[in-house]
Amino acid sequence: MTPSNKFHLPTLSRQSHLTAMLLTSILAVVLGSLQIGYHTGNVNAPGKIIEEFFNHTWRARHNQSMPDHSLTLLWSLSVSIKDLGALLGTLGVKYLADSYGRRNSILIVNCLSVVGACLMSASKASKSFEVLILGRLVFGLFCGLVMSLNPLYIQEVSPTNLRGAFATLNQVSFASGILVGMVASLETVLGTEHYWAMMLSLSLIPALAQYLVLPFCPESPRYLLINRGEESNAEAALLRLRGSTDKVFAELKEMKEEAAHAESGVTTREFFKKRSYKQPIIIVLVVNLGSQLSGFNAIINYSTRMFQAKFDQAKYLTLGVGAVNVTFTLVAFFLMERAGRKRLLLTGFISIAVCNLLMTIVDSVLHLVPELRSLQVLLVFCLISAYELGPGPISWFIAAELFDQPGRPIAMAFTSMLNWGGKFVLALLFPPLLKVCGVYIYLLFMTVALLAFIFTWIRLPETKGRTFDDIAEEFRGAEGIPLHNKAGFNTFT
């Protein structure tokens, strides 16, 4: 397996020993991100209906309507509380991943999704908007945990030359969930006064499906060998995933080499003080904040309201946003092992910057030339495409490639914290910022994208086709760690 291997779907099985068990394991895991996408996409179109539910509940309690500014604030809180919950959820990633394993942790946190969906759907029957907000908070805890655990598991079970492509499937599933949520929330489907509560419960289907499939999939061999020191169990898990004894021995050897170069388990404090981690931490920080604060999330959360002022069928244009989103995550899936992470990130960031600049110009003259509104929609679609081509999927998994085994769970928690923190801040601040800055808000997004582009160009190493140990070695010199340990390999418990 060499870095020069190209990703061709028709010959995937022959080149990379793609087995049914490997594919099943990855598809079972990404059912979690499907649920997250669903609850990201389904709050957009029926916003006014759910706001009316808030108002009706308030009127029944206090014999008066809720003030408009309070209603707007409560709706913004309802949208953004999921991201706040996700931010809090990231704090448990290291403990769960290292204590219970990657697969088992995903199964454990799935119960939060079930509880959250039940609370959200019960809000109407209980006549309590607080129950809806609590449900989104609990579901948010699930989001923060699973969007760290999923890439961690996928990266550790995938063969090196397909690692990035398979990690991108997490984003494909997330984007697909957004589209399904958008469709389900249409007035012609379930986004009505009578059925919106049922719509919020549909994420229970993939949650229960994951409980039926994932327990029969193997644990991460890397976790079993390096963290637990269980070589025989790691070998058995790897054999189930690869189906080839030759491949198993080669990968076991590579894992042992990685373990030999690594130190003992890393605490959160040591993670941020360790010299060899400083450059990867800065890279993860810039890539993730660049992705989250460049405008994509504002468009996903508020696209219906953005289009409403200009189009009668705004909800269907929002559906187009979801369709473009899915299409370009699939494009990224096929390009990830051909173009590489760095090239896709650079293409994505510079394209996002250009789209934001053009959106500023178009919005500024829209009142003079109303015919340009179609161009505005095209620019929104282009920005979504640019995001999903690189920054979207890569920002979620790049940390897993830049850090060694002991630092990887904390790195993924850090990634999730940055992603969800960025989403939360943007969801909360975009409406008031839009009122203050008007169309010039896109210039802020453009600046963020340009800064991320420049930094990525200068500092990010290409990780395509390289083993974890090879990537970690690039940063290891800063710590003065010897590259070979003849005494054997360490285990981390």
Side-chain angles (χ1 to χ4, degrees):
M1 193 185 308
T2 65
S4 61
N5 279 355
K6 290 188 176 180
F7 180 78
H8 296 288
L9 193 62
T11 57
L12 192 61
S13 180
R14 177 177 59 81
Q15 287 185 349
S16 305
H17 296 276
L18 176 66
T19 61
M21 179 53 70
L22 174 61
L23 192 58
T24 301
S25 299
I26 292 171
L27 293 179
V29 162
V30 300
L31 286 172
S33 52
L34 181 73
Q35 299 168 57
I36 297 170
Y38 180 75
H39 283 290
T40 300
N42 67 11
V43 297
N44 199 340
K48 290 295 182 184
I49 294 171
I50 299 177
E51 278 186 8
E52 183 52 40
F53 163 70
F54 288 175
N55 203 11
H56 179 76
T57 304
W58 185 269
R59 198 181 303 119
R61 295 177 186 174
H62 304 285
N63 293 320
Q64 61 179 2
S65 296
M66 186 181 292
D68 286 345
H69 68 276
S70 298
L71 189 60
T72 301
L73 182 62
L74 192 62
W75 175 246
S76 293
L77 177 65
S78 302
V79 172
S80 60
I81 197 75
K82 173 172 70 71
D83 301 334
L84 176 61
L87 197 57
L88 297 174
T90 60
L91 301 175
V93 172
K94 174 177 166 52
Y95 172 75
L96 284 169
D98 285 346
S99 300
Y100 300 101
R102 286 39 167 160
R103 182 203 62 184
N104 292 342
S105 296
I106 293 169
L107 289 169
I108 290 168
V109 303
N110 197 35
C111 70
L112 292 171
S113 172
V114 173
V115 172
C118 289
L119 284 171
M120 285 186 277
S121 61
S123 59
K124 184 180 179 183
S126 63
K127 298 180 180 179
S128 170
F129 56 75
E130 293 91 348
V131 172
L132 174 62
I133 294 171
L134 177 62
R136 281 185 68 81
L137 178 64
V138 172
F139 188 82
L141 293 173
F142 164 77
C143 295
L145 288 160
V146 87
M147 286 300 276
S148 297
L149 295 167
N150 276 9
L152 193 59
Y153 178 84
I154 293 170
Q155 290 264 317
E156 291 187 2
V157 301
S158 300
T160 301
N161 72 323
L162 294 179
R163 200 175 56 216
F166 281 155
T168 305
L169 283 178
N170 198 51
Q171 189 75 6
V172 172
S173 182
F174 176 70
S176 300
I178 291 176
L179 180 59
V180 172
M182 287 176 169
V183 172
S185 66
L186 292 173
E187 285 183 6
T188 51
V189 188
L190 294 174
T192 65
E193 184 181 350
H194 296 292
Y195 295 114
W196 65 264
M198 180 193 298
M199 173 196 72
L200 295 178
S201 71
L202 293 185
S203 64
L204 289 170
I205 297 171
L208 296 175
Q210 188 174 73
Y211 275 131
L212 292 174
V213 179
L214 192 56
F216 301 100
C217 300
E219 178 56 88
S220 159
R222 233 175 188 84
Y223 169 78
L224 292 171
L225 178 69
I226 304 177
N227 291 68
R228 308 299 299 177
E230 301 172 3
E231 186 171 348
S232 59
N233 289 337
E235 185 177 338
L238 202 52
L239 187 59
R240 291 181 67 196
L241 289 165
R242 299 291 180 265
S244 165
T245 307
D246 293 340
K247 294 284 292 181
V248 168
F249 289 147
E251 286 198 46
L252 280 174
K253 181 182 178 183
E254 183 259 311
M255 289 181 202
K256 290 178 182 180
E257 288 175 354
E258 180 187 348
H261 296 158
E263 292 183 322
S264 58
V266 177
T267 66
T268 304
R269 184 178 179 182
E270 291 168 346
F271 176 84
F272 288 102
K273 290 181 71 176
K274 195 173 166 68
R275 278 179 20 189
S276 62
Y277 286 173
K278 283 186 179 178
Q279 187 175 339
I281 286 173
I282 295 170
I283 292 170
V284 169
L285 179 72
V286 173
V287 169
N288 281 278
L289 290 183
S291 298
Q292 296 308 318
L293 302 181
S294 57
F296 169 80
N297 289 296
I299 288 172
I300 286 293
N301 284 334
Y302 296 99
S303 53
T304 297
R305 298 186 185 200
M306 287 170 64
F307 292 144
Q308 268 172 350
K310 306 173 185 71
F311 294 92
D312 295 331
Q313 299 297 324
K315 293 174 184 177
Y316 296 99
L317 282 174
T318 304
L319 202 61
V321 168
V324 171
N325 200 24
V326 174
T327 301
F328 277 85
T329 53
L330 288 170
V331 171
F333 168 72
F334 286 106
L335 290 180
M336 194 61 64
E337 300 301 342
R338 286 182 174 179
R341 287 54 151 168
K342 186 169 185 174
R343 190 180 299 176
L344 290 178
L345 275 175
L346 290 174
T347 303
F349 280 134
I350 196 65
S351 301
I352 288 171
V354 171
C355 288
N356 276 307
L357 176 62
L358 292 176
M359 283 179 71
T360 305
I361 296 170
V362 170
D363 273 23
S364 299
V365 300
L366 200 59
H367 64 287
L368 299 173
V369 191
E371 293 79 10
L372 287 178
R373 62 182 187 173
S374 297
L375 179 58
Q376 184 198 37
V377 174
L378 180 62
L379 287 171
V380 168
F381 287 174
C382 288
L383 190 146
I384 298 290
S385 307
Y387 176 85
E388 292 297 7
L389 190 63
I394 295 171
S395 63
W396 281 106
F397 72 76
I398 192 66
E401 296 190 321
L402 295 177
F403 290 85
D404 57 16
Q405 188 76 8
R408 202 169 291 134
I410 303 176
M412 292 309 299
F414 182 54
T415 291
S416 196
M417 189 175 292
L418 291 170
N419 270 295
W420 291 111
K423 289 177 192 291
F424 174 69
V425 169
L426 206 58
L428 207 57
L429 296 184
F430 180 73
L433 275 176
L434 189 60
K435 288 181 180 178
V436 173
C437 302
V439 298
Y440 300 107
I441 192 171
Y442 299 114
L443 292 180
L444 294 176
F445 298 149
M446 180 196 76
T447 303
V448 171
L450 281 176
L451 291 173
F453 171 83
I454 293 167
F455 184 88
T456 301
W457 190 7
I458 296 171
R459 301 298 294 273
L460 179 69
E462 181 54 71
T463 59
K464 180 187 74 169
R466 298 170 65 185
T467 65
F468 287 124
D469 191 46
D470 181 37
I471 298 165
E473 188 174 313
E474 192 159 327
F475 306 111
R476 203 176 286 132
E479 202 71 38
I481 296 173
L483 299 184
H484 297 284
N485 183 348
K486 300 293 185 182
F489 64 94
N490 299 319
T491 60
F492 313 111
T493 58

